[in-house]
DNA sequence: ATGTGC
């Protein structure tokens, strides 16, 4: 008898773990899954979500997206809203990769032009765009310079020649989060971050050249300037060692503060501090600083990748038609307002492997997209489709304005490596163009190691928390 | 995710 047996199926895509199923559980936990994805649901992921439901100040419900898997303390794919007056902030429930996120860039190029030369083009991207664990970029920034990055985010990158002013109009929070304080970030984080700005990283992070492969909503796609056979660039990356160190530093602060604030938690990995406490505010300000680093990172990566393509083809920026469609986080904590039981409340929404999906006419949706809803970007894994959706009103009712973020692992990294060694890399990656400096990450990230992102996105669409607009097929992928 | 793993 595990927790999975306690899940109640409410409808085709909704399961609930009622409140008080586990000791101290304050709110129910909703799982958004198809029958197929329910089979993959791990007992430990349920346990982690239920544990989070015991945290002080947690409101309404914990929501778990269809791409759920076990994480550090809180499951990847989890959404938690905590009252900013009485509640806590939990670094582990935001994740080690603060502002891990996705950027989508449109071009005027056509699939016919790129497909025949994709192998050579990807080699060029490999030689110019740094990727991999510990990889360093073309920038080496002093602590003072990084402090500026931490305050300005994507704006810093634009001011230093990486992109256009108008790019900023098409990024979540304009690519600059206001509540950042660079003085709350440790010297070690500045050391680790000094040479990593403008680098991809490892794991499922990538830079990809894609083609628009399928349109689900003609009207919205047209508004976004997207049509079949059009070339796009997608960037999936985060705050690298800088954000990682912020998380490490404040997990320690949180553990040390548990006794001081008399917080009892069922799992040390959920170490947290009152949001309004000095420790909580320090972490929040450091987290926003790291999130700004990540916005700057994707701004640089997207722009230099576009520039490599432009130079490779020997064309002008005008002919390339570089245009940022959107950029947003899927590992972050944000202050948002919700009405719960008729009361207006301010919540700190923890999204860990979950993407904001705000509806049309929400003031946080950029003016350019106000009437169609906020773009939601779902990166595929190697060789798999990626997706563009838009947020809906329903997400505000049943998921704190959130949707999924990707696919989620099926095989462990070790298992994936064994599988690739058994089958052979050529057979596993049949027909895919994947470039990387080393083989290790590619072996760990083969498509077979992941759940099917198409199924994940289908659940989100059917449930109505985001609406499908377009699908993107990879022509070439740069991995770490 | 991560100057990757007890």
């Amino acid at each position: 008898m595990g927790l999975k047996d306690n899940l109640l199926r409410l409808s085709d895509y909704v399961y609930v773990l009622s409140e008080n199923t586990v000791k101290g559980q304050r709110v129910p936990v909703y799982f958004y899954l198809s029958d197929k994805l329910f089979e993959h649901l791990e007992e430990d992921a349920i346990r982690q979500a239920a544990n989070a439901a015991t945290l002080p100040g947690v409101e309404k419900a914990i929501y778990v997206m269809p791409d759920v898997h076990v994480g550090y303390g809180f499951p990847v794919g989890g959404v938690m809203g905590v009252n900013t007056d009485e509640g806590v902030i939990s670094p582990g429930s935001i994740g080690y990769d603060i502002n891990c996120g996705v950027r989508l860039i449109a071009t005027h190029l056509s699939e016919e032009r790129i497909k025949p030369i994709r192998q050579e083009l990807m080699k060029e991207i490999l030689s110019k765009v740094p990727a991999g664990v510990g990889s360093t970029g073309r920038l080496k920034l002093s602590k003072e310079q990084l402090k500026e990055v931490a305050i300005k985010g994507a704006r810093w990158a634009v001011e230093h020649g990486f992109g256009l002013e108008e790019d900023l109009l098409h990024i979540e929070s304009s690519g600059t989060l206001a509540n950042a304080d660079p003085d709350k970030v440790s010297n070690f984080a500045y050391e680790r971050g000094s040479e990593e700005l403008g680098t991809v990283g490892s794991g499922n992070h990538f830079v990809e050249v894609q083609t628009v492969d399928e349109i689900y909503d003609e009207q919205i796609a047209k508004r976004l300037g997207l049509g079949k056979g059009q070339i796009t660039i997608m960037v999936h990356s985060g705050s690298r060692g800088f954000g990682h160190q912020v998380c490490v530093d404040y997990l320690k602060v949180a553990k040390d503060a548990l006794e001081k604030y008399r917080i009892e938690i069922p799992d040390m990995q959920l170490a947290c501090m009152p949001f309004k406490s000095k420790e909580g505010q320090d972490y929040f300000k450091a987290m926003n600083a790291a999130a700004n680093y990540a916005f700057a990172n994707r701004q640089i990566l997207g722009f230099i990748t576009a520039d490599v393509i432009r130079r490779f083809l020997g064309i002008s920026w005008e002919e390339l038609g570089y245009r940022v469609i959107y950029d947003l986080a899927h590992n972050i904590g944000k202050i948002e307002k919700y009405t719960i039981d008729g009361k207006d409340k301010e919540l700190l929404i923890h999204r860990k492997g979950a993407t904001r999906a705000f509806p049309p006419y929400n003031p946080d949706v950029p003016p350019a997209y106000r009437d169609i809803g906020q773009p939601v970007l779902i990166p595929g894994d190697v060789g798999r489709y990626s997706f563009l959706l838009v947020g809906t009103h329903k997400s505000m009712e049943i998921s704190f304005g959130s949707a999924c973020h990707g696919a989620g692992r099926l095989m462990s990294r070790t298992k994936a490596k064994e599988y690739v060694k058994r089958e052979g890399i050529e057979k596993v990656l049949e027909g895919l163009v994947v470039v990387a400096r080393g083989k290790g990450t590619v072996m760990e990230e083969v498509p077979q190691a992941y759940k099917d992102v198409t199924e994940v996105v289908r659940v989100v669409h059917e449930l109505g928390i985001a609406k499908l607009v377009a699908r993107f097929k990879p022509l070439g992928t740069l991995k770490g």
Side-chain angles (χ1 to χ4, degrees):
Chain A
M1 237 338 243
L3 282 175
K4 201 164 181 176
D5 302 299
N6 285 295
L7 289 186
L8 194 65
R9 190 177 192 269
L10 297 182
S11 64
D12 281 355
Y13 303 108
V14 183
Y15 295 79
V16 67
L17 187 78
S18 307
E19 60 184 281
N20 281 321
T21 305
V22 308
K23 190 169 170 284
Q25 187 189 344
R26 299 167 195 254
V27 294
V29 184
Y30 289 91
F31 296 83
Y32 298 137
L33 303 159
S34 60
D35 292 347
K36 201 165 151 192
L37 290 168
F38 181 83
E39 286 174 36
H40 295 307
L41 178 64
E42 306 138 296
E43 179 72 16
D44 286 346
I46 307 172
R47 172 67 59 188
Q48 291 184 329
N51 285 343
T54 71
L55 294 182
V58 65
E59 294 272 4
K60 196 174 172 186
I62 302 282
Y63 299 107
V64 179
M65 297 299 132
D67 46 343
V68 58
H69 59 100
V70 173
Y72 180 88
F74 191 55
V76 177
V79 181
M80 167 169 64
V82 186
N83 194 306
T84 55
D85 283 327
E86 303 123 39
V88 294
I89 183 166
S90 155
S93 305
I94 287 166
Y96 274 98
D97 190 3
I98 295 165
N99 190 1
C100 181
V102 189
R103 166 171 299 221
L104 180 69
I105 295 164
T107 73
H108 287 159
L109 303 172
S110 67
E111 183 177 353
E112 296 81 56
R113 185 163 183 186
I114 297 302
K115 206 168 178 184
I117 55 159
R118 59 182 172 155
Q119 200 84 50
E120 296 75 22
L121 175 62
M122 291 315 295
K123 269 189 197 154
E124 184 66 11
I125 290 174
L126 173 67
S127 74
K128 296 275 162 54
V129 182
V133 174
S135 59
T136 53
R138 60 177 79 171
L139 299 166
K140 183 168 167 59
L141 301 180
S142 67
K143 183 176 170 181
E144 288 315 306
Q145 288 172 307
L146 277 179
K147 282 188 174 187
E148 220 184 305
V149 173
I151 291 169
K152 290 187 171 176
R155 173 167 291 285
W156 183 92
V158 170
E159 285 176 358
H160 288 76
F162 300 99
L164 315 173
E165 183 72 24
E166 66 198 61
D167 296 355
L168 304 173
L169 300 173
H170 305 99
I171 308 176
E172 179 175 2
S173 308
S174 306
T176 306
L177 295 163
N179 292 308
D181 183 350
D183 292 333
K184 304 302 178 189
V185 174
S186 70
N187 282 329
F188 192 29
Y190 283 110
E191 276 174 38
R192 288 186 67 182
S194 70
E195 293 184 83
E196 289 187 337
L197 199 63
T199 67
V200 179
S202 184
N204 62 356
H205 288 173
F206 62 75
V207 165
E208 193 162 83
V209 178
Q210 320 171 314
T211 177
V212 180
D213 169 75
E214 184 86 64
I215 301 284
Y216 304 96
D217 190 310
E218 285 287 351
Q219 221 178 338
I220 296 178
K222 209 173 165 191
R223 273 294 317 281
L224 292 163
L226 289 174
K228 256 189 171 180
Q230 186 177 345
I231 294 292
T232 55
I233 302 163
M234 185 173 276
V235 177
H236 181 199
S237 189
S239 49
R240 310 287 283 105
F242 187 80
H244 184 269
Q245 194 57 42
V246 167
C247 184
V248 168
D249 291 339
Y250 282 94
L251 276 168
K252 187 176 183 325
V253 170
K255 281 174 192 167
D256 292 345
L258 286 172
E259 209 176 326
K260 178 176 170 186
Y261 295 109
R262 298 178 201 288
I263 296 171
E264 283 178 36
I265 48 171
D267 176 359
M268 272 310 268
Q269 295 186 352
L270 278 176
C272 54
M273 44 264 188
F275 180 66
K276 288 272 158 81
S277 69
K278 168 152 191 340
E279 292 86 347
Q281 285 299 296
D282 284 355
Y283 167 62
F284 187 59
K285 289 169 187 167
M287 182 212 68
N288 281 310
N292 281 336
Y293 183 104
F295 278 134
N297 191 34
R298 290 193 295 273
Q299 177 69 38
I300 294 167
L301 282 170
F303 188 76
I304 64 176
T305 303
D307 197 27
V308 170
I309 296 173
R310 184 186 73 80
R311 286 169 193 263
F312 186 78
L313 298 172
I315 59 175
S316 67
W317 280 102
E318 251 175 18
E319 201 183 333
L320 178 70
Y322 164 89
R323 179 169 57 90
V324 175
I325 293 209
Y326 206 55
D327 179 311
L328 79 175
H330 50 230
N331 274 12
I332 202 159
K334 285 219 150 177
I335 297 175
E336 296 169 7
K337 289 185 168 67
Y338 291 89
T339 308
I340 297 165
D341 298 329
K343 276 188 202 160
D344 289 340
K345 292 190 176 179
E346 189 185 74
L347 307 183
L348 180 74
I349 304 297
H350 297 65
R351 291 192 184 90
K352 181 179 178 182
T355 311
R356 191 149 92 163
F358 278 1
Y361 301 106
N362 183 294
D364 284 339
V365 177
Y369 305 134
R370 198 58 56 86
D371 58 327
I372 56 174
Q374 177 224 293
V376 176
L377 301 174
I378 308 302
D381 306 290
V382 172
R384 292 267 172 87
Y385 296 117
S386 296
F387 294 88
L388 167 64
L389 301 86
V390 287
T392 63
H393 291 284
K394 193 159 182 197
S395 75
M396 301 308 273
E397 291 161 23
I398 68 162
S399 59
F400 286 137
S402 314
C404 63
H405 89 300
R409 275 199 169 274
L410 209 52
M411 286 181 209
S412 70
R413 290 178 171 184
T414 318
K415 267 195 163 177
K417 271 185 184 166
E418 284 167 10
Y419 168 81
V420 173
K421 279 179 183 157
R422 201 167 56 237
E423 300 287 326
I425 187 86
E426 289 80 11
K427 194 183 161 199
V428 171
L429 288 182
E430 197 185 19
L432 297 172
V433 177
V434 184
V435 295
R437 282 180 180 76
K439 257 189 178 172
T441 301
V442 178
M443 285 169 66
E444 290 167 1
E445 301 296 319
V446 292
Q448 294 83 350
Y450 281 85
K451 291 177 210 165
D452 186 358
V453 67
T454 302
E455 173 75 358
V456 168
V457 165
R458 185 182 74 81
V459 172
V460 162
H461 176 82
E462 292 289 329
L463 197 60
I465 54 179
K467 189 170 146 188
L468 269 167
V469 176
R471 186 174 78 178
F472 307 86
K473 189 174 78 180
L475 289 185
T477 312
L478 168 67
K479 295 293 292 181

